[in-house]
Amino acid sequence: MSVKIRLQRHGKKGKPFFHIVVADSRARRDGRFIEKLGTYNPITNPATIELNVDSAVQWLNNGAQPTDTARAILSYKGALYKKHLQGGVAKGAFDQAEAEKRFNAWLESKESKVQGKVEGLATAKADAKKAALEAEVKVNEARVAAAAQADADAKAAEEAANAPAEEVVEATEGEAPAAETEENTEA
């Protein structure tokens, strides 16, 4: 029986969520499995991965073959590195304490990189929100200024329309008798 470490899909359409499982290679993708090693959520940024590293290393040592995606996840979480270090212990290159020390140092550096990415994403999101707010404030100020300018122009046009109308009325009143006189002289 060939045993594989692979992903088992769960979640809604368009919102995948995976269980990392050890299963017989002949079993269906979402079918029977031997053991659940963890979960993988690719929706979050960075992806959320919960993995039982010790159990994964034990299955790798027993000959379980990971799929390509499962291999990438195991590498990301350090299961393959821990298996590599255990091989060094078995060969006598260093002892178990040294292997644990190396693995913990690698784990801390990996965790700091992930934390740096999370902080960078949070900072970028805050900066984008701040820039959007500033742009919105500028647009609102421009809109208020344009409205004030339009009101001022409307008032000026109304005053200009009222003022010449009075002058035109006065001028037409003064011209009307002259027009009548011209008509009278023609007759």
Side-chain angles (χ1 to χ4, degrees):
M1 168 168 86
S2 177
V3 177
K4 291 218 175 256
I5 298 176
R6 63 185 183 191
L7 301 180
Q8 194 177 59
R9 186 173 169 155
H10 294 276
K12 294 181 180 181
K13 182 186 347 178
K15 296 185 180 185
F17 184 84
F18 298 95
H19 291 182
I20 303 166
V21 297
V22 176
D24 182 3
S25 63
R26 296 171 293 182
R28 293 178 299 153
R29 179 192 72 178
D30 300 335
R32 295 181 58 175
F33 61 89
I34 300 169
E35 182 181 349
K36 179 180 170 185
L37 299 177
T39 60
Y40 168 56
N41 185 1
I43 300 286
T44 60
N45 190 7
T48 307
I49 301 171
E50 299 292 329
L51 181 68
N52 184 349
V53 176
D54 295 328
S55 184
V57 170
Q58 180 183 358
W59 277 104
L60 289 170
N61 286 335
N62 288 340
Q65 295 296 313
T67 61
D68 293 338
T69 307
R71 179 179 299 280
I73 291 171
L74 294 174
S75 176
Y76 181 81
K77 292 304 277 185
L80 295 178
Y81 183 60
K82 190 166 188 174
K83 179 182 183 273
H84 172 74
L85 290 174
Q86 285 182 351
V89 170
K91 291 179 182 176
F94 43 84
D95 60 351
Q96 185 64 32
E98 177 67 23
E100 286 296 322
K101 187 174 88 172
R102 288 183 185 184
F103 180 71
N104 289 334
W106 179 87
L107 204 57
E108 288 176 13
S109 68
K110 184 70 168 182
E111 188 63 34
S112 67
K113 287 179 186 177
V114 171
Q115 191 62 29
K117 182 176 182 181
V118 169
E119 291 171 359
L121 290 171
T123 304
K125 185 176 180 181
D127 290 344
K129 188 173 182 179
K130 184 178 178 182
L133 182 63
E134 290 174 358
E136 185 176 341
V137 167
K138 287 181 182 179
V139 168
N140 286 342
E141 289 174 354
R143 187 178 297 134
V144 167
Q149 183 65 31
D151 287 344
D153 290 345
K155 286 182 181 178
E158 185 179 316
E159 290 174 4
N162 289 340
E166 293 172 1
E167 292 174 6
V168 170
V169 171
E170 292 173 4
T172 55
E173 289 174 0
E175 293 176 7
E180 291 176 5
T181 55
E182 288 177 11
E183 290 176 6
N184 292 339
T185 54
E186 289 178 9

